[in-house]
Amino acid sequence: MTRTAPYAVASVIILLASCRPPALAPSAPDTPDTRLVLSFLEAYGRRDLEGMMRCLTEDAVFRGSGGILSKPQIRAFFQTTFRKHPDLRVEVGTLAVVQGSIQARVKVQTDAIWSDTWIFEMRDHRIRAYSLASGTR
């Protein structure tokens, strides 16, 4: 092994480490609930609808300015979104626990870019309800 080989290995390790999913914010404890929220958002970024749905309770809802969506309506919304935007990209920023809810800063890029804070309410380590801080989607 040459002397440059250890440096090349270190460079690859650093590159791979930079591709890891975002860490929890210092104010977000590493709990089953925060890990589940990250799993939901990472599944969204992979367009893994079944992975997203597994994170939701059976009676989960999305609360938005247009009203409340039930779990079947949430599924339909994301199915349409994934079909309509095959190049969809999701960037998860920080997570924080605020007054019992988990808040995640999320940036979504389709034909436009929008950022918002997603607010998750949990029950039995699954998402019972979520909404956007802006109230709109």
Side-chain angles (χ1 to χ4, degrees):
M1 186 185 288
T2 66
R3 290 181 186 227
T4 58
Y7 298 111
V9 170
S11 297
V12 169
I13 290 171
I14 290 169
L15 175 66
L16 291 174
S18 69
C19 297
R20 294 177 64 196
L24 297 173
S27 61
D30 184 9
T31 67
D33 287 346
T34 55
R35 286 191 300 271
L36 185 101
V37 166
L38 272 178
S39 293
F40 177 82
L41 293 170
E42 289 168 354
Y44 179 30
R46 292 189 312 273
R47 293 178 300 285
D48 174 7
L49 185 60
E50 295 311 314
M52 293 174 68
M53 294 297 106
R54 280 191 298 273
C55 295
L56 303 175
T57 63
E58 287 307 311
D59 60 345
V61 295
F62 168 76
R63 295 185 186 115
S65 60
I68 295 176
L69 299 181
S70 66
K71 188 173 181 179
Q73 292 169 316
I74 293 168
R75 173 184 287 280
F77 172 82
F78 283 112
Q79 281 176 328
T80 300
T81 299
F82 295 153
R83 257 194 319 271
K84 197 172 171 182
H85 303 287
D87 296 328
L88 175 130
R89 291 194 345 236
V90 177
E91 238 177 79
V92 181
T94 58
L95 263 71
V97 177
V98 179
Q99 297 177 350
S101 67
I102 299 171
Q103 298 187 7
R105 190 80 182 132
V106 180
K107 179 173 137 183
V108 178
Q109 182 174 343
T110 56
D111 49 344
I113 299 173
W114 61 272
S115 293
D116 208 336
T117 298
W118 294 36
I119 303 168
F120 296 90
E121 299 169 32
M122 309 300 290
R123 184 177 70 217
D124 299 327
H125 308 301
R126 307 218 22 230
I127 298 166
R128 163 63 188 105
Y130 72 101
S131 58
L132 304 178
S134 68
T136 60
R137 181 180 291 255

